[in-house]
Amino acid sequence: MIVPRRWAAAATAAILVSVVLSHPGSGTAAPAPAAPPRVALADDETALVRVQLRDQAQLDQLVARGADLANRPRSADGRILADLVLTGVQLAELTAQGATPVQVVQRAGDGERHFAESLRAAQARTAAGLRAPAAGQRTASAAAVDTLQFLQAYWWTSNGQTFVQTQVATTATDDPDVEITVSWRAADGATGSFPLFRFEDSGEYQYHYAQPVPVPSRPVQVTATSSLGGVSRPVTPAVWPNATPPPLPEGYQKDFIDAYFTPTDIQARIKRLARQYRDLVDVIDLPNKTQGYRRTAAAYLGDPAAAAVVVESVRFGDQGMNGVQVRTVDPGRANRPLTATYRDRVLTVSLATDGAGKVTSSTDQVAAVINARFANRFQAFVEQGSAGLPMPVVAPVRLDDGLQGTEVSTKPWTVQALRIGVHRDGSRIGVLAYSQEHAREWATPLVTLEFAERMLANSRTDPATRELLEQTEIFVIPMVNPDGANYSFHDFDFQRKNLVNHCTGVSRDPANRDSWGVDLNRNYTVGSHFDGYVGASSNCLSGSYAGTGELSEAESRNVVALAREHDNIRFAMNVHSYGGYFMWPPGAYKADGRVTLPRPSIDESKLFLDSARRIVGAIAQERGTVTWPSQTGPVADVLYSAAGNSADELYYELGIFAWDFEVGNDRWNPATGQWEGVGFQPPFDEAHGESQEYAGGLVEMVRVARDYAAAQEG
Ligand SMILES: [Zn+2]
């Protein structure tokens, strides 16, 4: 394999953006924030940044343009926060439009470092304030008193700190200036209050809410008051999630994850589990091979900053096209026509000359002659800004696929599923867990592999686990998107999509190499972009590009194929990161009127919520992480509309109770009084913690399935 090179990077001129955190709102228990951090990105540096947006319109604009929204835009404390993957240039643009960066969650390169650290640690083990909103213009005239109702009031204790979280609805739904304050009284007699903030989605009022607020002890009463004079009835907050899984038996085995896993590591782990637990595991090769970790080879013929033609191979770089050379030559004689020849892996374009022997070919003509003569081997297009310019004489340049992972197999990948159970014949209720649809979500296969191995290892020592494997069948796809994952490990940390490049024309400029691919979790058939639902893009460079059509991608077809083939599967969990969510259908709506996919029935909604509480309880058992009640619910309500996602596919097409995790909950920082995002590739300790707690959640999902099956029979 030839030595790949990085495509030319733009010059770096660092921009610095200061961040000013305002003081927490009065009445919150948060201490004063620490010195404001500085958020600084070089122009061409890519990072994951938590940004406070100017207003809802700015957010809508970002969504419409297909921005790479890593996390839910939250109106957490009155501010609209969004976690965005962007370059320094893009951040400067947003800042100029009124946005403010508040946290660099992860920089490009952090993932690589955290991966290396995780390997070192594994080797070592083997050897040994919240801001209040701008005061609204209060209506001076006598406005009608509104009625307030608590939709949610919950409390919990996490790592010694008690929190309260509430949602309140006002009947004054159309008044954007209503201010709602919640007063609380705690068991120890302490009192306090905090403001709620209006939450609108797609132009529709939803409710007022706030992030969880720390309180000194269990809150025994909350009351809401509004600036219009409304007062709610006092309510006693309920404990959340109020479900505790059975205690782990003595000797329960866990912690099978000692580092981040590349696709090759995952393949090896699957193989090892199958060998070690022959009596309990089958490996299923899913039917659609991926493209493989491959790209076409390309080069700039000329200087992209001046005049250039992009020449690209039709075949992939590893299919003999890396290293092929392209050049233009001056024929050195008068009145020569423009010609192109290909010999000995060199494409030579001989430029046309006039009567005086002067070269006369333009960039467009050069691209055209290559396309006309060698359409089966090359495609050429004029670099943006180079149209109609004189074509320079260019010394040979080498085509290259630009891929950095020299040790990675380029073969189309066979995605695999583990099938686990005592009876692997479809006679028991089936549970499916699948992860890493999004390549950069490195913690997610750690969750599903830890889960699989817990079930297998403990089946030999723990009768309760053995019993679960008697009564259920478990399917696990640890890595839906291996090609994208390889790219995320070796080329670009923030790769979300697969590696299939559906772009045409100038979008194929190699400068866009980190933006190609299909968002697999927008490529399914229910409530899709193609059906007019919100939250996916037709732009091939968008982070949420839906593909050329429903199920255009091998990876998404694999998930559907497995679920269709095994119709005993009734429960599924689609594991993503990050943010700490627990969600179910509907996952999409149409913008006009915010019409969601059909709501589950009352009975099914109850099943979704009751089961979620059990699973959230199991997650909390590991290290005290409590998924917020405000982030537990239908996708379209608690996160965003995600047109064509896989959980909707499984639920509406196949009748599977289909959930989504976003592992990696925000961590409470008592020093700053802020909830902080963890990102896609946190330091390994955090990823390890996520794998442990969410594997516990998946085990509880198996118990939920067992209980559901028993109730059906009963
Ligand atoms: Zn994801």
Side-chain angles (χ1 to χ4, degrees):
M1 172 129 190
I2 62 132
V3 180
R5 68 174 174 84
R6 285 258 178 228
W7 298 100
T12 63
I15 55 153
L16 292 176
V17 184
S18 295
V19 175
V20 180
L21 294 175
S22 50
H23 292 285
S26 60
T28 68
R38 305 192 86 197
V39 174
L41 289 191
D43 277 5
D44 66 336
E45 182 183 8
T46 301
L48 171 60
V49 184
R50 182 160 290 182
V51 180
Q52 179 183 333
L53 299 174
R54 188 192 63 220
D55 52 20
Q56 183 68 35
Q58 193 173 29
L59 171 64
D60 294 344
Q61 207 176 33
L62 281 169
V63 171
R65 291 205 321 237
D68 189 352
L69 275 180
N71 200 342
R72 185 234 165 91
R74 305 182 203 194
S75 55
D77 44 9
R79 305 174 299 173
I80 298 178
L81 297 178
D83 293 2
L84 298 162
V85 175
L86 35 64
T87 63
V89 170
Q90 291 168 323
L91 180 59
E93 222 172 88
L94 268 187
T95 307
Q97 294 164 3
T100 313
V102 295
Q103 183 197 354
V104 175
V105 180
Q106 183 189 335
R107 290 174 192 274
D110 282 357
E112 196 177 347
R113 201 178 69 247
H114 295 154
F115 176 52
E117 286 167 2
S118 82
L119 290 183
R120 275 200 297 279
Q123 284 157 2
R125 275 194 292 276
T126 315
L130 307 183
R131 173 180 161 185
Q137 300 295 316
R138 305 220 182 167
T139 325
S141 60
V145 171
D146 57 342
T147 303
L148 301 180
Q149 194 191 352
F150 276 94
L151 302 180
Q152 287 189 352
Y154 287 114
W155 70 276
W156 64 89
T157 299
S158 176
N159 300 316
Q161 176 64 60
T162 300
F163 295 93
V164 63
Q165 187 176 36
T166 61
Q167 290 179 0
V168 174
T170 169
T171 48
T173 56
D174 296 336
D175 182 347
D177 298 325
V178 181
E179 290 174 13
I180 296 178
T181 304
V182 170
S183 305
W184 50 264
R185 182 161 54 78
D188 66 358
T191 59
S193 67
F194 55 89
L196 297 188
F197 300 91
R198 182 182 173 88
F199 175 43
E200 265 185 33
D201 189 36
S202 197
E204 307 272 328
Y205 172 73
Q206 307 292 311
Y207 44 75
H208 280 67
Y209 93 123
Q211 287 185 331
V213 170
V215 288
S217 63
R218 175 174 61 88
V220 292
Q221 186 179 301
V222 288
T223 312
T225 55
S226 111
S227 55
L228 294 178
V231 181
S232 76
R233 285 187 313 165
V235 164
T236 302
V239 62
W240 174 262
N242 199 26
T244 313
L248 294 176
E250 198 163 331
Y252 189 81
Q253 301 171 70
K254 52 187 193 175
D255 199 354
F256 301 97
I257 303 298
D258 57 0
Y260 277 121
F261 288 167
T262 65
T264 309
D265 297 332
I266 290 170
Q267 201 175 39
R269 179 65 61 108
I270 289 171
K271 198 169 175 183
R272 199 258 288 162
L273 290 176
R275 197 182 307 125
Q276 192 171 344
Y277 300 98
R278 244 176 247 287
D279 52 327
L280 291 172
V281 177
D282 295 320
V283 175
I284 300 173
D285 288 343
L286 298 179
N288 306 287
K289 281 187 175 12
T290 67
Q291 167 191 285
Y293 177 68
R294 305 197 284 188
R295 280 208 160 144
T296 57
Y300 293 110
L301 189 56
D303 175 0
V309 167
V310 176
V311 180
E312 181 188 343
S313 63
V314 168
R315 285 186 295 167
F316 291 113
D318 71 301
Q319 294 173 310
M321 296 311 287
N322 281 327
V324 163
Q325 297 182 53
V326 195
R327 61 178 176 167
T328 55
V329 296
D330 178 344
R333 290 158 59 194
N335 293 319
R336 302 307 300 167
L338 176 65
T339 61
T341 53
Y342 183 59
R343 193 172 301 133
D344 298 335
R345 292 168 51 80
V346 180
L347 173 63
T348 302
V349 179
S350 179
L351 301 173
T353 54
D354 62 14
K358 185 174 170 299
V359 167
T360 59
S361 298
S362 69
T363 50
D364 304 70
Q365 291 165 334
V366 167
V369 78
I370 294 172
N371 288 329
R373 288 275 288 112
F374 298 107
N376 58 344
R377 214 183 288 268
F378 301 103
Q379 49 181 326
F381 59 88
V382 178
E383 170 74 2
Q384 216 148 19
S386 295
L389 296 180
M391 186 69 207
V393 172
V394 182
V397 290
R398 303 169 80 86
L399 301 192
D400 195 299
D401 61 15
L403 294 173
Q404 308 288 306
T406 50
E407 311 284 299
V408 180
S409 163
T410 57
K411 288 201 180 68
W413 195 284
T414 300
V415 179
Q416 293 181 313
L418 290 161
R419 181 179 193 175
I420 298 170
V422 175
H423 312 278
R424 297 184 301 285
D425 55 7
S427 63
R428 304 298 196 272
I429 189 166
V431 175
L432 166 64
Y434 59 110
S435 47
Q436 211 167 18
E437 278 186 322
H438 291 146
R440 63 194 175 192
E441 297 168 6
W442 292 2
T444 63
L446 308 186
V447 171
T448 47
L449 285 169
E450 169 74 13
F451 160 61
E453 194 151 1
R454 279 189 194 183
M455 298 307 297
L456 291 167
N458 289 295
S459 71
R460 291 181 175 168
T461 50
D462 170 34
T465 300
R466 180 77 191 182
E467 189 62 18
L468 278 179
L469 290 188
E470 282 279 352
Q471 294 165 337
T472 66
E473 224 187 302
I474 298 169
F475 298 83
V476 179
I477 313 174
M479 173 183 52
V480 172
N481 180 9
D483 302 344
N486 272 320
Y487 196 75
S488 177
F489 273 98
H490 299 288
D491 299 272
F492 178 56
D493 294 1
F494 293 117
Q495 177 73 18
R496 166 180 167 98
K497 305 187 284 179
N498 73 1
L499 272 204
V500 178
N501 181 3
H502 289 299
C503 290
T504 55
V506 293
S507 299
R508 297 186 72 89
D509 188 316
N512 294 321
R513 67 195 178 280
D514 291 338
S515 302
W516 294 328
V518 175
D519 183 347
L520 300 174
N521 205 26
R522 300 294 183 276
N523 188 235
Y524 295 83
T525 72
V526 175
S528 77
H529 171 73
F530 309 97
D531 299 334
Y533 283 77
V534 171
S537 174
S538 55
N539 175 355
C540 67
L541 300 176
S542 161
S544 55
Y545 175 51
T548 53
E550 293 170 353
L551 295 177
S552 60
E553 304 309 297
E555 294 90 343
S556 35
R557 288 200 301 276
N558 279 335
V559 173
V560 172
L562 182 76
R564 278 200 186 280
E565 176 77 19
H566 304 284
D567 62 7
N568 58 324
I569 295 176
R570 297 302 314 280
F571 288 83
M573 185 68 75
N574 181 13
V575 185
H576 285 257
S577 74
Y578 64 91
Y581 294 82
F582 191 124
M583 301 175 292
W584 54 88
Y589 52 72
K590 290 185 169 170
D592 196 11
R594 199 178 178 281
V595 179
T596 65
L597 288 165
R599 298 269 169 185
S601 68
I602 301 267
D603 282 353
E604 290 196 350
S605 294
K606 183 168 160 34
L607 174 77
F608 274 123
L609 182 60
D610 289 350
S611 311
R613 292 177 80 136
R614 289 177 58 176
I615 294 168
V616 167
I619 294 164
Q621 194 181 33
E622 293 279 339
R623 57 167 183 166
T625 302
V626 176
T627 299
W628 304 349
S630 66
Q631 301 197 165
T632 304
V635 177
D637 297 347
V638 306
L639 186 60
Y640 44 48
S641 179
N645 72 79
S646 56
D648 281 345
E649 178 82 21
L650 297 180
Y651 177 64
Y652 294 102
E653 280 290 304
L654 301 175
I656 295 169
F657 294 107
W659 282 294
D660 312 87
F661 278 155
E662 293 278 355
V663 312
N665 300 51
D666 281 15
R667 316 300 303 173
W668 173 251
N669 183 338
T672 61
Q674 299 271 349
W675 292 96
E676 292 175 350
V678 297
F680 300 110
Q681 296 144 18
F684 180 68
D685 271 359
E686 167 59 27
H688 175 262
E690 293 168 18
S691 73
Q692 298 306 302
E693 61 198 8
Y694 277 90
L698 290 177
V699 173
E700 186 64 21
M701 178 172 75
V702 178
R703 294 192 197 105
V704 164
R706 173 204 57 195
D707 297 346
Y708 175 83
Q712 298 293 103
E713 282 165 20

